């Protein structure tokens, strides 16, 4: 019989793999709506710590193995962290969406602009695509999470990940 810790690690690895592969297949430079979908969904399913870990690992894999830009990391991690925190504070899908929007669309764009140029002078180069990814991600996330709730998947995932890091 497998332990809860093993189940948690296996599910986390699967979520990292899904995020890594689908984001690269569906996204274009600077616009990664699947990453936003995964951040918002995981914030609801597995909590803020594991969501941030999932986003960081997937972003790092995309940079190291798939040739994505370094802006992948702040674009994913801040959104994942805030989506998870906001959902934990206010457990509604909309809270996760707001956290992702602030984390990726604003903070992630600001940090990415700083990484590329050393200041925020090109902020408006990144912000439209990061916000666009958040909006597209939210449109996809809402019905997917509702479908998972109807099938009891969200409750089962929360049980596995109930004890945060």
């Amino acid at each position: 019989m497998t332990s809860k810790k093993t189940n948690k690690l296996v599910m986390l690895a699967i979520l990292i793999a899904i995020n890594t592969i689908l984001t690269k297949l569906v996204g274009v430079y600077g616009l990664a709506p699947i990453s936003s979908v995964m951040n918002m969904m995981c914030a609801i399913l597995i909590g803020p710590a594991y969501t941030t870990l999932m986003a960081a690992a997937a972003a790092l894999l995309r940079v190291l193995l798939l040739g994505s830009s370094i802006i992948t990391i702040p674009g994913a991690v801040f959104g994942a962290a805030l989506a998870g925190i906001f959902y934990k504070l206010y457990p509604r899908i909309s809270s996760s969406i707001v956290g992702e929007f602030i984390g990726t669309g604003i903070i992630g764009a600001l940090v990415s602009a700083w990484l590329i140029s050393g200041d925020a002078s090109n902020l408006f180069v990144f912000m439209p695509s990061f916000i666009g990814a958040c909006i597209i991600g939210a449109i996809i996330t809402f019905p997917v999470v509702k479908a998972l709730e109807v099938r009891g998947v969200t409750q089962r995932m929360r049980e596995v990940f109930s004890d945060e890091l």
Side-chain angles (χ1 to χ4, degrees):
M1 187 164 126
T2 60
S3 70
K4 187 174 180 179
K5 189 173 185 175
T6 303
N7 286 339
K8 193 180 300 188
L9 289 173
V10 169
M11 283 188 216
L12 188 60
I14 290 168
L15 292 169
I16 290 167
I18 290 168
N19 189 344
T20 302
I21 294 165
L22 286 182
T23 297
K24 191 63 179 176
L25 291 175
V26 177
V28 295
Y29 183 79
L31 184 67
I34 299 301
S35 180
S36 287
V37 170
M38 292 299 295
N39 287 351
M40 291 181 271
M41 265 187 15
C42 288
I44 293 164
L45 296 174
I46 65 176
Y50 287 106
T51 298
T52 305
L53 181 61
M54 179 276 308
L60 191 60
L61 284 171
R62 289 196 310 269
V63 169
L64 295 175
L65 301 176
L66 302 175
S68 292
S69 169
I70 192 73
I71 67 169
T72 299
I73 296 170
V77 174
F78 290 107
L82 288 182
I85 291 167
F86 278 38
Y87 186 80
K88 188 166 188 145
L89 293 173
Y90 310 100
R92 293 182 298 276
I93 296 172
S94 60
S95 301
S96 175
I97 292 169
V98 169
E100 174 70 12
F101 183 84
I102 294 169
T104 295
I106 298 171
I107 297 171
L110 185 62
V111 172
S112 294
W114 179 82
L115 278 174
I116 298 300
S117 66
D119 60 28
S121 62
N122 59 0
L123 173 63
F124 295 106
V125 170
F126 295 105
M127 196 173 276
S129 61
F130 281 32
I131 289 174
C134 293
I135 292 168
I136 294 167
I139 292 168
I140 296 168
T141 299
F142 194 82
V144 170
V145 169
K146 285 296 185 186
L148 292 174
E149 285 176 348
V150 168
R151 288 165 182 77
V153 173
T154 54
Q155 186 59 36
R156 289 193 301 271
M157 291 286 284
R158 286 183 193 131
E159 287 169 7
V160 171
F161 286 91
S162 61
D163 54 335
E164 279 282 334
L165 288 174

